[in-house]
């Protein structure tokens, strides 16, 4: 004997799971493949040395803000940060000491908003007590540029 209520529940549960899967697939597609969302502020090439860019953003004035973390075994002093995109370049003299496993933020004047997604090359020159003056390079991408 077949119950009408059982058939209805089976129908709803089968199509309910289909709707859940469709919602998850749509969310994944929207967050990864919608063209307006493709240009995100991100590090495309990490620094190979003791320093790492852990976050980047643009402030309301359009200046690029970096959060740099010291992942080395000793404190380092960031002397200067140079950002370049094409033939444009800007340099910030920092003279900021970053203790081991700590972070410090830096604002790069001479950068601004951009309509297009742009890659900016960064060079960080820093002093290490044991190794002397070192240089680290990274590439970041986002809707900002060097003016």
């Amino acid at each position: 004997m077949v119950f009408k209520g059982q058939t209805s529940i089976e129908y709803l549960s089968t199509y309910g799971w289909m709707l859940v899967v469709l919602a998850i697939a749509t969310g994944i597609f929207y967050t990864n493949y919608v063209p307006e969302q493709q240009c995100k502020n991100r590090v495309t090439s990490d620094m190979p040395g003791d320093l790492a860019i852990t976050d980047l953003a643009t402030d309301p004035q359009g200046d690029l803000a970096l959060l740099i973390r010291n992942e080395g075994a000793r404190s380092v002093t960031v002397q200067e940060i140079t950002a370049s995109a094409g033939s444009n370049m800007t340099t910030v003299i920092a003279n900021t000491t970053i203790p081991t496993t700590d972070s410090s933020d830096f604002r790069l004047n001479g950068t601004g908003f951009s309509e297009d997604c742009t890659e900016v090359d960064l060079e960080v020159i820093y002093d290490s007590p044991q190794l002397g003056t070192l240089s680290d390079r990274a590439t970041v991408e986002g809707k900002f540029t060097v003016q």
Side-chain angles (χ1 to χ4, degrees):
M1 175 185 241
V2 176
F3 298 105
K4 289 182 181 181
Q6 180 181 355
T7 305
S8 298
I9 296 297
E10 288 175 0
Y11 176 82
L12 288 174
S13 66
T14 300
Y15 286 99
W17 282 111
M18 181 198 66
L19 291 175
V20 169
V21 170
L22 182 64
I24 291 171
T26 303
I28 290 171
F29 176 78
Y30 181 76
T31 57
N32 291 321
Y33 299 109
V34 175
E36 295 84 33
Q37 299 293 326
Q38 285 184 352
C39 185
K40 298 177 183 175
N41 291 346
R42 63 189 180 115
V43 179
T44 57
S45 171
D46 287 327
M47 291 191 239
D50 292 337
L51 302 177
I53 299 173
T54 56
D55 197 13
L56 64 132
T58 50
D59 66 7
Q61 292 78 25
D63 294 335
L64 180 61
L66 302 172
L67 184 65
I68 298 179
R69 181 178 175 84
N70 178 8
E71 295 181 345
R74 294 181 176 27
S75 296
V76 298
T77 302
V78 175
Q79 296 299 325
E80 66 182 54
I81 301 172
T82 302
S84 61
S87 62
N88 298 337
M89 185 172 23
T90 185
T91 301
V92 173
I93 307 298
N95 289 328
T96 302
T97 300
I98 306 175
T100 301
T101 67
D102 202 3
S103 300
S104 186
D105 62 330
F106 300 92
R107 297 205 185 284
L108 301 176
N109 299 328
T111 58
F113 294 113
S114 171
E115 293 295 322
D116 300 321
C117 202
T118 308
E119 280 195 349
V120 174
D121 296 318
L122 298 174
E123 180 182 17
V124 180
I125 297 174
Y126 62 98
D127 288 333
S128 174
Q130 299 295 323
L131 302 173
T133 302
L134 300 170
S135 174
D136 237 344
R137 293 181 182 273
T139 304
V140 294
E141 178 183 73
K143 289 196 172 188
F144 47 80
T145 188
V146 179
Q147 299 172 339

